[in-house]
Amino acid sequence: MKTLGARKKSPVKKGITILLAVVLSLLLVVAGYVAYAFLAYERLEDQIQLDVTHVSGQPLEKGQEHTVVSYNIGFGAYSDDFTFFMDGGTESRARSPEAVRENVGGALAAIQTVDPDLILLQEVDANGTRSHHIDERALVGEAFPDYASVFAQNYDSPYLMWPLHAPHGANQAGTMTLSRYDMTSSLRRSLPIEQGPMMMVDLDRCYSVSRIPVEGGKELALYNFHLSAYTSDGKIAEEQLALLFEDMAAEVRAGNYVVAGGDFNKDLLGNSAEVFGVSCEDATWAKPIPDALIPEGFRIVAPFDAEAKVASCRNADRPYGPESFLITIDGFIVSDHVQVVDATVMDTGFRWSDHNPVLLTFRLQ
């Protein structure tokens, strides 16, 4: 009698089985990564007292001219030919450790040319895949050893596995505030952010408020911020501004002066596309700030030279050139009794960042 063996699968059925196994494995990997990213995501606490490096200095004098520079240094990646994947480009991290040092060094050297009293930096990496784990805080400290300084961490992100050819990775980044006058204290405040999947794109956001004594017993409340850009409709930045203004109003009620600077991720000119002659339909974040949002007693200062027409930011979907989308999104907020003497954009040709530094000269009345 002939014994019946197990029936062999046909080549087609065997191929389908292997394909299904591969697809299932990929789905499990993706699901596992998504679970990791959301479980590892954690916002920093609100109202964190920050460590300030104290440098002996005099209080700010009333009636004298003082200068402050705000500069988003782009974590040391953005040479003028760098393109970023979130802006429609292809790159996600600085090209090399040498490129990070060159770009950060160039940005800081540009600031040194104007010898400012106060410095507000954004996108300073403490430890990041995208910046080859170079502590950019140390580079800043070496460039400005005689300034008091404070670092406010925006986020400590999980490892971002995109783009696949060069993942953005895990990054610790924040803002850095420096003063040639003494800073008595500094506080980190958490800003509103979008919830759901979008919070993995825009990550955590914060601002810092640092206190600098002013002759006569009052204080300058110096704010440093970087508002959201990669959001679904750009509205979250308006909610962030509302919180900022609420906090600033409390400082004014206490009799203090307010100077705030940073990256608004809003069109401060209101018509940058018209001014610079290049528009970008996809830039949903690049909207003007509604006038109704600005409370009485404050004004937004948009640095601009009508003759030079230098923008503060380029979109990094392509190398910098004649077709680049240009916009002014970096600037300042000042309270009454802060007299604006001048506000301008420093033209670096976007050599070291996708931003140009902006310079404010002011007096405390």
Side-chain angles (χ1 to χ4, degrees):
M1 178 181 288
K2 188 179 286 187
T3 303
L4 295 176
R7 183 178 296 176
K8 292 184 178 181
K9 291 184 178 179
S10 70
V12 173
K13 289 185 177 180
K14 186 176 181 179
I16 292 174
T17 301
I18 294 173
L19 179 60
L20 289 174
V22 170
V23 171
L24 180 60
S25 298
L26 288 174
L27 289 174
L28 289 173
V29 169
V30 171
Y33 170 73
V34 171
Y36 148 76
F38 276 93
L39 290 173
Y41 181 92
E42 183 177 1
R43 293 203 71 184
L44 276 69
E45 293 181 7
D46 192 14
Q47 308 225 31
I48 297 176
Q49 289 289 341
L50 302 172
D51 293 329
V52 179
T53 61
H54 291 277
V55 177
S56 179
Q58 298 298 318
L60 278 169
E61 296 179 351
K62 297 178 183 178
Q64 300 297 314
E65 288 191 2
H66 301 288
T67 52
V68 53
V69 167
S70 179
Y71 198 178
N72 182 330
I73 64 172
F75 63 88
Y78 291 81
S79 52
D80 56 8
D81 60 347
F82 184 87
T83 67
F84 190 55
F85 76 106
M86 291 292 290
D87 290 344
T90 60
E91 299 171 270
S92 66
R93 58 177 72 172
R95 292 168 181 168
S96 68
E98 293 73 24
V100 173
R101 293 189 180 93
E102 179 180 353
N103 290 327
V104 173
L108 299 179
I111 296 173
Q112 288 172 329
T113 63
V114 295
D115 192 28
D117 298 312
L118 308 166
I119 303 169
L120 307 173
L121 302 175
Q122 300 87 41
E123 289 199 36
V124 180
D125 276 13
N127 182 20
T129 306
R130 65 185 188 178
S131 49
H132 300 273
H133 303 286
I134 292 174
D135 187 351
E136 295 173 359
R137 300 170 301 179
L139 301 180
V140 175
E142 291 168 8
F144 299 98
D146 298 327
Y147 285 64
S149 66
V150 63
F151 177 76
Q153 185 169 307
N154 268 336
Y155 55 79
D156 183 355
S157 72
Y159 197 96
L160 181 60
M161 280 294 300
W162 194 263
L164 292 176
H165 69 278
H168 196 54
N171 301 286
Q172 298 173 359
T175 64
M176 199 162 178
T177 301
L178 298 96
S179 169
R180 60 165 26 111
Y181 300 93
D182 197 21
M183 286 194 291
T184 57
S185 66
S186 188
L187 181 70
R188 179 197 184 277
R189 293 296 315 273
S190 296
L191 286 165
I193 60 170
E194 283 199 282
Q195 300 302 306
M198 288 304 298
M199 73 180 184
M200 302 305 301
V201 176
D202 203 41
L203 299 172
D204 204 350
R205 296 282 174 172
C206 75
Y207 66 87
S208 67
V209 54
S210 303
R211 302 193 172 279
I212 300 175
V214 176
E215 63 173 356
K218 299 300 183 181
E219 293 178 319
L220 170 66
L222 181 64
Y223 288 74
N224 189 351
F225 58 83
H226 185 187
L227 305 186
S228 291
Y230 303 113
T231 57
S232 58
D233 60 6
K235 289 291 185 182
I236 195 69
E238 294 180 11
E239 295 179 22
Q240 294 170 350
L241 274 171
L243 176 61
L244 269 168
F245 280 124
E246 180 182 343
D247 193 9
M248 293 173 183
E251 293 292 342
V252 171
R253 288 194 297 270
N256 294 325
Y257 301 90
V258 169
V259 172
D263 181 350
F264 286 77
N265 274 313
K266 289 289 187 181
D267 186 354
L268 298 187
L269 299 180
N271 62 340
S272 285
E274 178 183 338
V275 170
F276 302 115
V278 182
S279 63
C280 182
E281 297 293 335
D282 296 330
T284 57
W285 50 270
K287 304 299 182 185
I289 295 174
D291 291 337
L293 196 63
I294 307 169
E296 185 177 354
F298 294 93
R299 66 179 175 123
I300 292 177
V301 181
F304 184 62
D305 184 325
E307 184 176 347
K309 289 188 178 180
V310 179
S312 80
C313 182
R314 72 173 179 94
N315 194 54
D317 60 330
R318 66 190 72 193
Y320 175 53
E323 300 302 317
S324 295
F325 172 56
L326 302 177
I327 185 171
T328 289
I329 60 177
D330 304 270
F332 304 92
I333 301 170
V334 299
S335 62
D336 284 349
H337 308 300
V338 175
Q339 177 191 1
V340 174
V341 178
D342 189 35
T344 189
V345 181
M346 299 168 58
D347 190 1
T348 66
F350 301 107
R351 183 174 176 183
W352 303 293
S353 172
D354 57 331
H355 292 250
N356 279 321
V358 292
L359 172 66
L360 173 71
T361 304
F362 66 94
R363 292 190 186 97
L364 302 180
Q365 297 179 330

